[in-house]
Amino acid sequence: MPTSRRHLLQAGALAALGPAAFAWAQQPAAIDSTKVIVGFAAGGTADVVGRRIAEKLHPGFAKAAYVENRTGAGGQIAITAVKEAPADGTNILVTPMSMLGIYPHTYRKLPYDPVADLTPVSTGAIFDYGFAVGPLVPASVKTVPDYLAWAKANPAQASFGSPAAGSAPHFIGVLLGRTAGVELTHVAFRGSQPAILDMVGGQIPAVSGPVGEFLQFAAAGKIRLLGTSGARRSRFTPHVPTYTEQGLKDLVFSEWYGFFLPARAPAATVQRLNATIRSAVANKAVIDGLAAGGLDPLATSPGELAAMLKADTERWGPLVKSIGFTAEG
């Protein structure tokens, strides 16, 4: 059959199926390979989100997908890598909100613009934060107020770790100390897992980080989770009271992990990736995998993610100003 006649017949068949068929026919083919770039160490919640979603990016979005951990500078190296990458879907960023919504308030100069240099695609998961203590802290310390009282009585040991300087866990730890008039020394790590390992090893007394990062260590009895940051108790730690339940008013925080492409990514690529992520977070294997890391699945439209980032950026501005923290940048 001549090519022109074959195309004519195909067009006629698509017309009979309606506009949706034409939209399907015009979708770009799956790309050969894509990498999901994570700014934190393997084993942490950012890595869990990246890997669980990456497993479902093929064959719909890419013929092959894998995760690359680009650690350093509190997640900035990964964001910069995606910013400078081709906007063709071969490089995808997954990042917590902190690096995009809080860092602009803490760094005088960032190597990226969270809005101008990235294209929002979808969230992948949402989570609460927790505050835990290790073997350096006496067993009699069972609540966050207990820890703050202990820190006040032992100023030389009054410190805590977080996954990055200028991140939400960092500031939550500072705010916890301020509720009791305690100056807690902050120690920044390249992700929560290295911080928790130092806590387990007795190098630091406490860590502020995503709830999911603590689960396996708490289950093994190596650490004690004292409180969580959500509006209600986390379904993953129903026995652990929230900060507000412990009298720490207004300390209610949750955070999301979002997927982004470089700026100027084609609309068709953004929509195809968004649809693939939506399908992924509805998959039982992905839901179960996220739950193992203390994460709840959450997918949004690109516009909804952009609105969430804007709202969080505006919320954290006054908080950062009140804390008075400025990172070197």
Side-chain angles (χ1 to χ4, degrees):
M1 181 184 295
T3 301
S4 59
R5 179 168 173 74
R6 182 168 66 249
H7 287 171
L8 183 62
L9 290 175
Q10 290 172 340
L14 289 171
L17 293 173
F22 273 110
W24 173 84
Q26 293 169 358
Q27 286 292 314
I31 60 179
D32 287 335
S33 177
T34 188
K35 60 184 175 182
V36 177
I37 299 179
V38 180
F40 298 93
T45 50
D47 186 66
V48 168
V49 175
R51 291 184 189 279
R52 292 295 176 264
I53 301 297
E55 290 169 357
K56 300 301 179 183
L57 293 183
H58 57 84
F61 182 75
K63 296 175 184 176
Y66 61 96
V67 169
E68 180 178 304
N69 297 90
R70 297 285 295 272
T71 65
Q76 294 184 49
I77 289 176
I79 298 173
T80 303
V82 172
K83 165 195 168 183
E84 297 172 348
D88 56 3
T90 56
N91 293 266
I92 303 167
L93 171 71
V94 60
T95 181
M97 175 279 299
S98 291
M99 288 73 239
L100 305 179
I102 299 180
Y103 279 13
H105 302 301
T106 61
Y107 286 85
R108 290 188 295 273
K109 184 178 180 181
L110 283 171
Y112 57 84
D113 183 312
V115 176
D117 292 334
L118 298 172
T119 300
V121 178
S122 174
T123 53
I126 191 167
F127 61 96
D128 294 335
Y129 288 108
F131 193 86
V133 296
L136 273 182
V137 180
S140 58
V141 172
K142 301 181 183 301
T143 67
V144 175
D146 285 349
Y147 173 76
L148 296 175
W150 174 83
K152 196 167 190 176
N154 298 273
Q157 296 176 287
S159 65
F160 73 98
S162 88
S167 64
H170 169 192
F171 291 134
I172 290 172
V174 172
L175 291 171
L176 288 174
R178 286 195 172 186
T179 63
V182 181
E183 187 72 28
L184 299 179
T185 300
H186 173 246
V187 183
F189 289 80
R190 290 191 175 190
S192 297
Q193 287 295 300
I196 293 172
L197 290 175
D198 268 14
M199 177 173 63
V200 170
Q203 304 303 309
I204 56 173
V207 170
S208 174
V211 167
E213 307 268 8
F214 299 117
L215 296 181
Q216 62 173 316
F217 299 96
K222 295 181 178 179
I223 65 171
R224 305 190 304 283
L225 188 58
L226 304 184
T228 57
S229 70
R232 58 189 59 84
R233 294 192 183 195
S234 168
R235 70 185 180 96
F236 304 108
T237 56
H239 59 290
V240 179
T242 65
Y243 297 148
T244 56
E245 285 183 277
Q246 299 182 59
L248 305 170
K249 304 300 184 183
D250 301 321
L251 288 180
V252 179
F253 299 96
S254 293
E255 187 163 356
W256 44 260
Y257 281 110
F259 287 82
F260 295 80
L261 289 170
R264 298 177 300 280
T269 302
V270 174
Q271 291 303 325
R272 189 183 187 96
L273 180 56
N274 178 271
T276 305
I277 293 173
R278 284 178 176 274
S279 176
V281 299
N283 182 280
K284 186 178 185 304
V286 173
I287 293 172
D288 291 344
L290 293 176
L295 301 155
D296 285 308
L298 177 68
T300 61
S301 70
E304 288 169 336
L305 175 53
M308 289 169 67
L309 175 57
K310 182 176 185 295
D312 283 324
T313 301
E314 292 174 351
R315 182 194 182 192
W316 276 100
L319 288 174
V320 172
K321 185 176 181 180
S322 72
I323 291 171
F325 173 83
T326 301
E328 292 295 327

